[in-house]
């Protein structure tokens, strides 16, 4: 199938909280060490931006911080409130959220690659922090899922024109954005994070179903099946390990302080 995708509007990603918690718990489990970087202190006021189903929000609260989870998906917020009824969660957009009081820290895991335009999110984050407040984040970095995206484009019969539903920056792209918005970057790293997917041979197609709506939304069930099979075949040698798929994630991780 060949399609000119040059004018394709990006379908909005929708979120399935049950599928996320059942098959994609690696997203928040892999981020537990991010908490050490955040180092939440008792009584600190912290926002978990893009809190999803609230697992990391709860870990921050366990350290004694007063934490508010924000997410732009009503389904995720409903699931978070249900699982953690004592914690505060609100629907909000990362590019425009405001808070009544300046925050001590903003934490964001596996979210900012979804947010456009990235500068608007950095501006909102900067506005929400007190001077000296910290921004601690990790998300998809330059080269993330490159092999998977290439296999997907090949299966779809589309040239890779560099369009992505995601923003995967290098440090050289992201650090200036932070500096422009009044931050000092204290720590930045870009690293490979091969990520074992759950549910064995279904792992890759589950990942594509959960995160790949941009590519798959307009396909019917038979077309999707064909795409899944072609992508699986194309990636088998590179990304299949013994009994599971291992996603070719790359991560950018940063700590910045508001001046
Ligand atoms: C990530 O967490 O790195 C990621 C998640 C979904 C799509 C792309 C990247």
């Amino acid at each position: 199938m060949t399609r000119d995708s040059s004018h394709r509007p990006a379908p909005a990603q929708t979120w399935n909280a049950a599928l996320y918690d059942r098959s994609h718990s690696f997203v928040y489990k892999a981020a537990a060490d991010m908490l050490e970087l955040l180092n939440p202190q008792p009584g600190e006021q912290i926002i978990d931006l893009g809190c999803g189903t609230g697992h990391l929000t709860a870990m921050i609260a366990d350290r004694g911080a007063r934490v508010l989870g924000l997410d732009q998906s009503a389904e995720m917020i409903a699931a978070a409130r249900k699982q953690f009824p004592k914690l505060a969660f609100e629907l909000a957009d990362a590019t425009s959220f405001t808070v009544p009081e300046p925050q001590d820290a903003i934490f964001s895991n596996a979210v900012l690659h979804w947010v456009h335009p990235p500068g608007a999110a950095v501006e909102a984050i900067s506005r929400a922090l007190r001077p000296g407040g910290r921004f601690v984040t990790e998300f998809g970095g330059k080269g993330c899922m490159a092999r998977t995206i290439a296999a997907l484009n090949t299966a779809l019969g589309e040239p890779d024109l560099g369009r992505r539903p995601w923003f995967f920056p290098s440090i050289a792209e992201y650090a200036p954005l932070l500096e422009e918005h009044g931050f000092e970057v204290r720590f930045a790293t870009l690293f490979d994070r091969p990520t074992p997917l759950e549910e064995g041979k279904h792992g890759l197609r589950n990942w594509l179903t959960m995160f790949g709506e941009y590519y798959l939304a307009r396909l019917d069930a038979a077309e999707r099946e064909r795409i899944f099979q072609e992508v699986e075949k194309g990636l088998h040698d590179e990304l299949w390990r013994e009994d599971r798929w291992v996603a070719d994630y790359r991560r950018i991780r940063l700590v910045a302080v508001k001046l």
Side-chain angles (χ1 to χ4, degrees):
M1 176 197 349
T2 304
R3 256 198 324 261
D4 175 9
S5 64
S6 53
H7 301 295
R8 184 200 309 175
Q13 174 73 32
T14 53
W15 294 98
N16 178 334
L19 178 62
Y20 182 84
D21 259 6
R22 190 177 68 241
S23 305
H24 301 86
S25 59
F26 61 82
V27 176
Y28 58 81
K29 286 179 183 156
D33 58 336
M34 285 288 290
L35 285 188
E36 303 317 315
L37 213 51
L38 175 65
N39 193 19
Q41 298 299 309
E44 273 193 324
Q45 215 153 306
I46 297 180
I47 284 181
D48 180 8
L49 186 61
C51 61
T53 48
H55 291 270
L56 289 167
T57 323
M59 289 185 210
I60 296 169
D62 283 347
R63 306 279 188 101
R66 288 175 292 150
V67 61
L68 168 65
L70 301 180
D71 204 285
Q72 60 88 47
S73 158
E75 183 169 350
M76 289 294 190
I77 288 293
R81 285 181 178 149
K82 196 166 171 201
Q83 289 197 68
F84 304 104
K86 293 195 175 134
L87 300 184
F89 296 99
E90 281 174 24
L91 204 54
D93 185 323
T95 61
S96 59
F97 74 98
T98 54
V99 284
E101 284 177 275
Q103 302 290 302
D104 296 301
I106 296 193
F107 175 81
S108 183
N109 177 58
V111 169
L112 292 174
H113 48 253
W114 291 106
V115 177
H116 304 277
V122 175
E123 192 177 329
I125 291 163
S126 176
R127 201 172 43 228
L129 281 170
R130 66 166 170 80
R134 51 212 199 279
F135 172 37
V136 179
T137 188
E138 181 179 305
F139 56 100
K142 192 170 181 68
C144 189
M145 302 298 288
R147 282 174 283 186
T148 305
I149 292 167
L152 206 42
N153 281 320
T154 302
L156 288 164
E158 295 182 348
D160 185 355
L161 300 174
R163 258 179 241 101
R164 311 262 181 279
W166 308 295
F167 167 65
F168 292 143
S170 65
I171 293 171
E173 282 171 284
Y174 205 69
L177 212 51
L178 292 169
E179 289 178 353
E180 274 163 36
H181 291 91
F183 284 101
E184 181 175 78
V185 178
R186 295 278 176 91
F187 173 80
T189 178
L190 178 71
F191 58 100
D192 288 326
R193 155 83 63 72
T195 300
L197 302 179
E198 292 164 27
E199 306 208 345
K201 66 180 182 179
H202 301 294
L204 187 55
R205 54 179 64 206
N206 280 351
W207 190 96
L208 292 168
T209 302
M210 180 82 205
F211 297 119
E213 243 168 77
Y214 173 86
Y215 298 94
L216 304 176
R218 295 182 311 147
L219 306 184
D220 64 26
E223 280 179 308
R224 276 184 186 228
E225 180 57 31
R226 186 184 67 73
I227 297 299
F228 288 154
Q229 286 184 18
E230 275 193 39
V231 170
E232 286 167 351
K233 193 164 162 225
L235 291 174
H236 187 272
D237 289 353
E238 290 181 288
L239 300 184
W240 177 259
R241 299 277 177 279
E242 287 179 25
D243 58 355
R244 69 195 58 194
W245 290 99
V246 179
D248 50 335
Y249 275 19
R250 302 194 88 208
R251 291 310 187 127
I252 186 167
R253 182 180 275 201
L254 301 114
V255 178
V257 170
K258 176 151 170 204
L259 297 174

